[in-house]
Amino acid sequence: MLALFAFLPILATLILMMVFNWPAKRCLLLSWALALVFGVLFWKIDITALLAGSLYGVLSSFDVLIIIVGAILVMNTLKISGATSAINRGFMNICPDKRVQACIIGFSFCSFIEAAAGFGTPAALAGPLLVCLGFPPMAAAMITLCFDSAAVSFGAVGTPVTSALNSLGMADNAVFVSQFSFWTALPHAIVSVILPLLILMMTTKIFSKDKSFKPALQAAPFALFTGLSFAIPLLITAIFIGYEFASLIAALLSIAATVIAAKVGFLVPKQTWDFGDSSQWDKDCLATSEVAPMKESKMSLLLAWIPYLLIAVILVITRIPQLGIKSLLTGGAPFVIQINNLLGFEHLDWSLKWAYLPGTFFILVSLITNGLHKMDKEMVKCSWADTFKQVSGAALALIFGLALVEVMKYKNDLGTSMLDEMANALSMVGEKLFVVIAPFIGVLGAFVSGSATVSMNLFSNLQFHTATVLGLPPVFILSMQCVGAAVGNMICINNAVAASATIGTTGREGKLIKINIIPVLIYTLITIVIFYIALALGIYPVS
């Protein structure tokens, strides 16, 4: 019976979002309130202790919120200054073949935007560009949503992973972080090799005049090269440099490799292919509403890319221990804000390493960009206003989500928490079946919440506890959760709505999600097979 009450706050969130279309912020507020009531009534935890835990969760959300604000501010600053338009213009002149454009812009560029900004921005930026290049609107929506997956776990400079580590209290456990990074990167690296080809095959089969896989297979060498150009640096960076940079470095190298290859004709199909005349496209492929044309800009490509290059340089410099900057920024006041024994509870020690957060550097680069791109006061004001407007909903969802997690993991005098009860109940399915279930929990979290980060906040502790009860390596299960949360981006309701709105296919979100379920299942099943093989071979992480 206790397990049922433990599950109810999460079930309430899922039902209210999926059945009644409530926004995440309202659902999570109600779920948090339910968890408080159940914690007092059934777990006999003092209300003051639960409120202290909730406050700890709220404070813990500041790390992620600063990253979100900074990432979206960079995106809006570049959009308003004209830099985004200049970057898009640069992509337009690379290669006329639509299969090659889908690989470069849909996969490599989308992955880079995910790595730098995340939170649904890739499809909103790259989708309209593909439409301008002559892609059917529905095809552009599908391509950008499906390709916004491999980079997500380490997106926004590793925000989903950072959020999970903070929630678990494992951020300072170097061995756990290293293992978590590797086992999250491995499935992404393996699947991303074939992902461009898979999505090209879906594109030509669904949206081409001939409804055939043949055009995609003709471009298979370039598609596989695109996947490899991302997969190899992703894995190497995750192992040897750090998860924060994995998607960022991999995407930058992938853009460079694919653009150069397309320019010199390396592995590019001999016969140029496109979607044909728009008058012959199926009605379902067309836009349902008018979309404002992309703002023109005469800014040079170098000037447009400088902010992203600055971000990459600053992040690398501050993350290399040998330079001494990392120890300075994380060593204490004034660069670290700390509160020990929150509200008098000894186990609640909170700290904010504000000077070390990627979001702080994002904001700094945005301010530098204001001057570099000669933005006037009105443009700067607009970039900040748009940012806070976009962040507000996500911020409330994140705050209540983390408060909910802290309440659910709070142990009573008997040493039992709601998460313990949930883990014990889930463990009844057995370890073999739970390996199948684990990534789909991540997918579900992203689907209903609209964010891989929120999915990690909601379910990381549950996955960790269940793995412990079942005797499975927690790192394995947590990595499957993280990959699943990334894959869920393909069918995430919020992303589908945002992409459809920017591309002009509003009203067809349901069809888009149905199409994208195919790559979600393939991606997730390959992930499950990878971990089954690791378990069968007895390959267990050190931690």
Side-chain angles (χ1 to χ4, degrees):
M1 182 59 73
L2 277 180
L4 175 61
F5 285 112
F7 273 109
L8 275 177
I10 299 295
L11 288 174
T13 298
L14 299 180
I15 292 170
L16 289 172
M17 290 184 72
M18 295 178 70
V19 179
F20 297 98
N21 295 319
W22 279 30
K25 57 185 179 183
R26 285 175 61 192
C27 298
L28 289 168
L29 169 59
L30 178 61
S31 296
W32 168 71
L34 272 177
L36 276 180
V37 172
F38 292 162
V40 173
L41 292 180
F42 303 112
W43 274 264
K44 308 301 180 183
I45 303 173
D46 185 74
I47 185 66
T48 308
L50 292 179
L51 290 174
S54 300
L55 178 59
Y56 181 84
V58 171
L59 293 173
S60 298
S61 70
F62 288 178
D63 297 65
V64 181
L65 284 174
I66 292 172
I67 297 173
I68 296 174
V69 169
I72 295 179
L73 178 63
V74 169
M75 182 196 75
N76 285 330
T77 299
L78 298 184
K79 199 173 180 182
I80 291 170
S81 74
T84 299
S85 177
I87 291 170
N88 290 346
R89 187 183 67 243
F91 281 127
M92 286 183 181
N93 302 318
I94 294 169
C95 178
D97 193 297
K98 295 293 176 281
R99 296 163 298 186
V100 174
Q101 290 174 351
C103 288
I104 297 173
I105 299 167
F107 183 78
S108 301
F109 184 57
C110 259
S111 295
F112 174 73
I113 296 301
E114 176 60 43
F119 302 99
T121 57
L125 285 176
L129 173 57
L130 291 179
V131 172
C132 290
L133 289 170
F135 283 66
M138 275 294 287
M142 184 204 77
I143 289 167
T144 51
L145 277 179
C146 289
F147 280 146
D148 185 18
S149 52
V152 170
S153 290
F154 305 123
V157 200
T159 301
V161 172
T162 299
S163 182
L165 291 170
N166 288 343
S167 176
L168 291 167
M170 291 287 191
D172 295 324
N173 186 329
V175 175
F176 188 91
V177 172
S178 174
Q179 293 286 348
F180 184 23
S181 300
F182 172 76
W183 287 105
T184 300
L186 184 64
H188 281 311
I190 291 172
V191 179
S192 62
V193 174
I194 63 169
L195 186 62
L197 178 58
L198 172 63
I199 303 307
L200 282 187
M201 290 173 67
M202 290 179 59
T203 301
T204 59
K205 180 66 176 177
I206 298 171
F207 299 104
S208 71
K209 181 181 177 182
D210 298 329
K211 308 294 182 191
S212 169
F213 291 128
K214 188 176 178 181
L217 295 174
Q218 291 170 345
F222 191 88
L224 293 171
F225 171 75
T226 300
L228 282 168
S229 71
F230 178 84
I232 294 172
L234 181 82
L235 196 56
I236 292 173
T237 306
I239 295 171
F240 296 106
I241 300 177
Y243 71 86
E244 300 102 325
F245 307 108
S247 291
L248 191 66
I249 291 175
L252 277 171
L253 292 176
S254 182
I255 289 173
T258 52
V259 167
I260 292 171
K263 282 284 189 181
V264 302
F266 178 67
L267 299 179
V268 173
K270 293 181 180 179
Q271 188 173 355
T272 300
W273 181 88
D274 61 28
F275 292 93
D277 192 276
S278 59
S279 62
Q280 298 179 342
W281 292 348
D282 291 344
K283 289 183 179 180
D284 288 346
C285 298
L286 302 175
T288 57
S289 59
E290 290 291 328
V291 177
M294 192 175 292
K295 177 186 173 183
E296 291 297 323
S297 170
K298 295 181 179 179
M299 186 182 296
S300 71
L301 268 178
L302 177 60
L303 188 60
W305 276 98
I306 280 178
Y308 286 129
L309 297 175
L310 276 175
I311 288 171
V313 169
I314 292 172
L315 286 173
V316 170
I317 289 173
T318 55
R319 261 64 184 170
I320 299 175
Q322 290 80 0
L323 295 178
I325 298 175
K326 178 179 179 178
S327 58
L328 174 67
L329 298 181
T330 60
F335 301 115
V336 178
I337 299 172
Q338 191 155 345
I339 302 176
N340 294 325
N341 303 331
L342 188 65
L343 297 185
F345 291 88
E346 292 183 4
H347 61 288
L348 295 178
D349 295 332
W350 172 80
S351 65
L352 176 68
K353 298 173 183 176
W354 65 269
Y356 185 68
L357 288 175
T360 303
F361 303 129
F362 289 161
I363 294 170
L364 176 62
V365 169
S366 296
L367 296 175
I368 294 171
T369 303
N370 294 156
L372 278 176
H373 292 179
K374 298 178 180 178
M375 298 172 65
D376 58 36
K377 290 182 180 179
E378 196 58 37
M379 294 167 77
V380 173
K381 182 181 176 182
C382 186
S383 67
W384 280 92
D386 287 352
T387 297
F388 284 117
K389 193 183 300 180
Q390 290 169 258
V391 167
S392 58
L396 287 172
L398 191 64
I399 287 170
F400 288 119
L402 280 171
L404 170 64
V405 167
E406 290 301 323
V407 169
M408 297 189 73
K409 66 192 254 192
Y410 205 101
K411 294 183 182 293
N412 60 16
D413 292 338
L414 299 175
T416 305
S417 68
M418 294 185 198
L419 281 171
D420 291 331
E421 294 291 345
M422 294 171 72
N424 288 331
L426 281 173
S427 67
M428 300 296 286
V429 303
E431 61 182 59
K432 290 183 179 179
L433 185 56
F434 189 71
V435 173
V436 176
I437 294 173
F440 284 105
I441 293 174
V443 171
L444 181 65
F447 171 72
V448 298
S449 71
S451 166
T453 299
V454 175
S455 179
M456 295 304 290
N457 288 335
L458 284 175
F459 297 123
S460 290
N461 280 275
L462 173 62
Q463 299 268 32
F464 188 95
H465 280 63
T466 307
T468 303
V469 172
L470 286 169
L472 289 166
V475 167
F476 274 10
I477 300 302
L478 195 63
S479 295
M480 296 181 83
Q481 156 70 28
C482 199
V483 174
V487 176
N489 250 32
M490 296 187 192
I491 54 172
C492 157
I493 298 171
N494 289 4
N495 284 359
V497 170
S500 297
T502 56
I503 293 168
T505 56
T506 300
R508 293 196 177 129
E509 295 86 356
K511 180 179 180 180
L512 185 61
I513 289 172
K514 287 177 185 176
I515 293 172
N516 291 1
I517 284 174
I518 298 170
V520 166
L521 290 174
I522 294 172
Y523 208 130
T524 308
L525 291 174
I526 292 174
T527 299
I528 292 167
V529 169
I530 291 168
F531 283 94
Y532 261 127
I533 291 172
L535 288 168
L537 294 176
I539 303 172
Y540 288 85
V542 175
S543 56

